[in-house]
Amino acid sequence: MVAAAADFVPHSFMHAKIEAPNRANSDFFATLSGAATRSKIERRPALPPHPRMGTLGVFRHHAMGANMGKKKNQAKKAAASVRKLERKLWCRSYLMKIAEFDGATIAPENGAAARTEAMGTLASEYHKLLTKDSSVKKVRDLLDTIESGNVEDEQLCAEARVLARDQREALAIPAKEAEAWTRLTCEAQAVWHKAKVANDWASFEPYIDHIVDSLKHQAALMNPNADPYDVWLDQHERGLSTASFDAFCAQVKDIVVPLVHEIGERGQQPDAPFAHAHVPVEVQKVLSLDLMKLVGLDLADTTLAVTEHPFSEGFATGDARIATHFYENDALSNVFSIVHEAGHTIYELGVNPAYAFTSLEGGTSMGIHESQSRFFENTVARSRAFMGPLLQVLRKHVPEVYGQVSEDELYRAVNIARPSLIRTEADELTYPLHVMVRYEIERLLFAGEATARDIPALWSRFMDEYLGVEVPDDAHGCLQDVHWSGGSFGYFPTYALGSAYDAQYVPAMKADGVDIDAACAAGDLSPVCTWLGNKIWQWGRAKDAPELIQNACGAPFDAHFYCDYLNEKFRSLYNL
């Protein structure tokens, strides 16, 4: 199998989205859960018209002008104060990202304890800086100035709104608990790395119970009236809940499960020995850099590191990095990991540079982030049109393997649909079923119906139920993903949602005159990147997923686009 999705790692040092789902974002998924009712949009009453000025009005006008000048000065001071706070917060966030990336790539094993100490201290500083009384006052003063109508800068208004939300959410968690959480997850990640290699679930197991207990406690602090797991689903994707994701899963399963069975019974799998030919790591490294350039990355903005579990991280304007894992007998695994992570990276680099050092820098949600990575990995890199440019790169670096491979042969090979063990190696069709396996287990853990000790057996059970695959050991089962070690429960559903968002972009892009196939065939993705840049990337955190989808696609999220895409593509591939 060739790789499906790797990961854009959410940060364990702080929770970015922890408030209860708001009405607008809950409605985003309402067509799936059937639970929403339309609510009227509250509008402020219109301001009365400016009075006509007679002689007395002239004096009133001068007084008003002086007052307005004073208010504008106050607005400038409030803005400068908040921008200074944002920069200080950004600096601590940047340092934590550096430590996290270093720990997953080049840091020595014995450096984990020191890194845990450093990240715990930085997380504590970040939390205290964000939530202290003077910081709350600075943000409140700016919001009051905006409310009074003395700020016309749309970016500043968005910064205040997002920072206030971050602040409000962080205030729910005591500073000592935020620091302890960072220390816990940093230690858990180090243990997971060793446990996966050694196939040693027992050494990692206690951390899962501790992490789940901590997350349930934090969820109760944030929203005591909500289901704890719903709180964390909403953290990663505003408005997402078990009800809406259950409805999404039902739609997808209705298409995917019968189609997987039909392919298994009637579909003819292609013979593709080249997919597992030996390709040295050093060759794959150079090949990876060419792939990054092919999909539109400027190598001056990024770097390539090696890790156990592929991921990427956005650090700043002009700095977003990729980490991959090489398999000498499965070079295509790395090919699609690189393209997937490039999607995340291009998104981070495409955020409006004016947002640098502010609360708006970075991606808005994990679902939108995954929609970018999955778009490049699947819509672009697995398309028939892209096989020419992709084959050119492969032939350049591995001519002895790909010199005689045709575009059609490569296209069939990179789109083989067959149940498999590893999520990141799963094909596009069976991939959402891997997500559902993790979702089922997470729900049981948060409902108190299972503990970490039960996970290996549950994993085997759900892998059999969803995919008909036998799990040989924990390294190929419940230890394969890094996410739980970082506390990222409720994250996995965003992978499936990201794929579904991706499918909805395509008709919208075509309606706007973008010829995706032509761009892919030419190996020039600039028209595609321009559309995504205008509709998604540039907005950073200034807009949430519902608004981005509505503006980009002209309609709310609709899973039918995804279901129709999978059904049409794989029936065509397998002549069903």
Side-chain angles (χ1 to χ4, degrees):
M1 290 296 163
V2 295
D7 305 288
F8 182 84
V9 176
H11 310 303
S12 58
F13 55 80
M14 60 182 176
H15 299 302
K17 307 177 184 69
I18 56 181
E19 66 181 4
N22 62 42
R23 179 71 263 167
N25 291 332
S26 296
D27 286 349
F28 180 50
F29 296 99
T31 53
L32 296 178
S33 65
T37 57
R38 290 191 178 274
S39 58
K40 294 181 180 179
I41 300 173
E42 295 183 5
R43 301 186 185 276
R44 295 182 187 172
L47 293 173
H50 194 283
R52 292 183 179 181
M53 291 189 297
T55 305
L56 181 60
V58 173
F59 293 104
R60 185 184 298 121
H61 176 66
H62 284 305
M64 289 176 63
N67 190 43
M68 287 179 66
K70 182 179 178 181
K71 288 184 177 180
K72 285 186 177 180
N73 285 334
Q74 289 174 340
K76 286 181 180 179
K77 287 181 180 179
S81 182
V82 166
R83 289 262 167 87
K84 187 175 181 180
L85 171 62
E86 287 180 302
R87 188 173 285 261
K88 287 181 178 179
L89 290 167
W90 177 88
C91 286
R92 286 156 179 79
S93 173
Y94 178 80
L95 291 172
M96 286 187 278
K97 290 178 183 181
I98 291 287
E100 196 167 24
F101 191 88
D102 185 77
T105 54
I106 62 172
E109 180 180 323
N110 291 338
R115 185 171 63 256
T116 298
E117 177 66 25
M119 290 186 68
T121 300
L122 284 166
S124 177
E125 285 186 11
Y126 184 99
H127 189 275
K128 289 175 182 176
L129 178 61
L130 177 61
T131 60
K132 66 181 183 178
D133 291 345
S134 59
S135 296
V136 172
K137 185 178 184 304
K138 288 175 183 178
V139 177
R140 183 67 260 168
D141 287 347
L142 180 56
L143 287 172
D144 287 344
T145 304
I146 292 170
E147 287 290 326
S148 67
N150 291 303
V151 176
E152 297 178 355
D153 185 337
E154 290 184 6
Q155 177 182 326
L156 185 59
C157 293
E159 286 177 47
R161 172 177 52 79
V162 172
L163 184 59
R165 183 172 67 185
D166 291 346
Q167 201 170 60
R168 183 172 63 252
E169 295 168 346
L171 283 164
I173 307 297
K176 287 186 178 180
E177 189 161 338
E179 179 178 352
W181 169 256
T182 297
R183 293 179 187 275
L184 169 63
T185 53
C186 192
E187 184 178 335
Q189 286 172 330
V191 172
W192 171 83
H193 276 275
K194 291 192 287 186
K196 182 185 178 185
V197 173
N199 187 35
D200 180 15
W201 173 257
S203 67
F204 181 57
E205 182 182 293
Y207 289 91
I208 291 292
D209 285 330
H210 194 173
I211 286 170
V212 170
D213 287 344
S214 295
L215 288 173
K216 289 166 76 172
H217 174 64
Q218 291 174 37
L221 292 174
M222 300 166 201
N223 189 349
N225 299 317
D227 179 281
Y229 191 55
D230 277 349
V231 171
W232 295 111
L233 287 172
D234 179 66
Q235 178 203 358
H236 296 297
E237 199 67 10
R238 295 280 182 190
L240 183 62
S241 66
T242 50
S244 59
F245 194 69
D246 283 346
F248 171 80
C249 289
Q251 280 186 273
V252 174
K253 281 192 288 187
D254 282 348
I255 294 296
V256 171
V257 172
L259 189 51
V260 169
H261 285 308
E262 195 171 350
I263 289 172
E265 293 171 358
R266 298 170 49 204
Q268 185 174 356
Q269 298 291 7
D271 184 25
F274 55 85
H276 297 287
H278 182 268
V279 181
V281 167
E282 292 306 313
V283 173
Q284 292 192 52
K285 287 181 179 178
V286 182
L287 187 155
S288 297
L289 296 176
D290 276 355
L291 281 173
M292 289 157 70
K293 289 189 287 186
L294 177 61
V295 296
L297 273 175
D298 182 343
L299 297 187
D301 291 333
T302 189
T303 191
L304 181 63
V306 180
T307 189
E308 176 61 33
H309 188 106
F311 72 100
S312 55
E313 179 62 270
F315 290 83
T317 300
D319 186 355
R321 309 176 193 181
I322 293 173
T324 191
H325 189 96
F326 297 107
Y327 298 95
E328 291 199 328
N329 292 320
D330 192 357
L332 287 179
S333 169
N334 175 60
V335 165
F336 287 93
S337 286
I338 289 292
V339 176
H340 177 97
E341 299 307 335
H344 284 304
T345 304
I346 294 171
Y347 176 22
E348 290 282 319
L349 294 169
V351 173
N352 186 347
Y355 294 173
F357 313 122
T358 76
S359 58
L360 304 183
E361 189 174 52
T364 192
S365 74
M366 297 320 302
I368 293 294
H369 239 301
E370 292 305 328
S371 75
Q372 303 311 294
S373 58
R374 302 289 285 174
F375 184 91
F376 278 88
E377 178 196 347
N378 294 325
T379 301
V380 171
R382 294 186 197 274
S383 71
R384 175 61 183 82
F386 195 68
M387 290 303 102
L390 178 57
L391 199 51
Q392 264 191 311
V393 174
L394 292 169
R395 285 172 176 168
K396 173 184 174 182
H397 294 282
V398 203
E400 67 279 14
V401 174
Y402 290 93
Q404 301 304 313
V405 175
S406 71
E407 292 181 17
D408 282 336
E409 288 172 326
L410 182 61
Y411 177 60
R412 289 301 310 281
V414 302
N415 285 290
I416 291 174
R418 180 189 295 146
S420 60
L421 280 168
I422 308 298
R423 176 184 62 86
T424 58
E425 305 296 320
D427 60 83
E428 192 178 1
L429 181 63
T430 62
Y431 185 83
L433 302 181
H434 286 264
V435 171
M436 293 175 200
V437 167
R438 289 146 179 81
Y439 173 67
E440 295 272 20
I441 293 172
E442 290 185 353
R443 289 188 66 179
L444 290 172
L445 291 171
F446 275 77
E449 297 175 18
T451 66
R453 180 177 296 181
D454 303 314
I455 290 177
L458 287 171
W459 196 282
S460 294
R461 170 189 150 192
F462 288 126
M463 285 295 290
D464 180 53
E465 288 181 10
Y466 277 94
L467 290 151
V469 173
E470 184 177 341
V471 181
D473 53 50
D474 293 334
H476 292 84
C478 52
L479 280 170
Q480 67 182 262
D481 296 307
V482 68
H483 302 64
W484 289 345
S485 70
S488 295
F489 285 80
Y491 179 114
F492 283 112
T494 67
Y495 285 118
L497 285 175
S499 295
Y501 294 168
D502 161 11
Q504 194 164 343
Y505 296 150
V506 173
M509 202 176 285
K510 290 179 177 178
D512 286 340
V514 179
D515 191 331
I516 303 173
D517 285 342
C520 288
D524 177 8
L525 300 179
S526 54
V528 171
C529 291
T530 297
W531 190 92
L532 289 170
N534 290 334
K535 303 289 187 177
I536 307 292
W537 304 343
Q538 66 163 322
W539 299 106
R541 297 182 68 207
K543 295 183 179 183
D544 288 337
E547 186 177 1
L548 288 174
I549 298 292
Q550 177 70 48
N551 291 348
C553 304
F557 169 60
D558 185 346
H560 287 100
F561 288 96
Y562 180 48
C563 295
D564 290 347
Y565 162 76
L566 291 175
N567 195 43
E568 291 169 10
K569 176 174 180 175
F570 286 93
R571 286 195 176 280
S572 174
L573 273 164
Y574 284 92
N575 297 314
L576 298 176

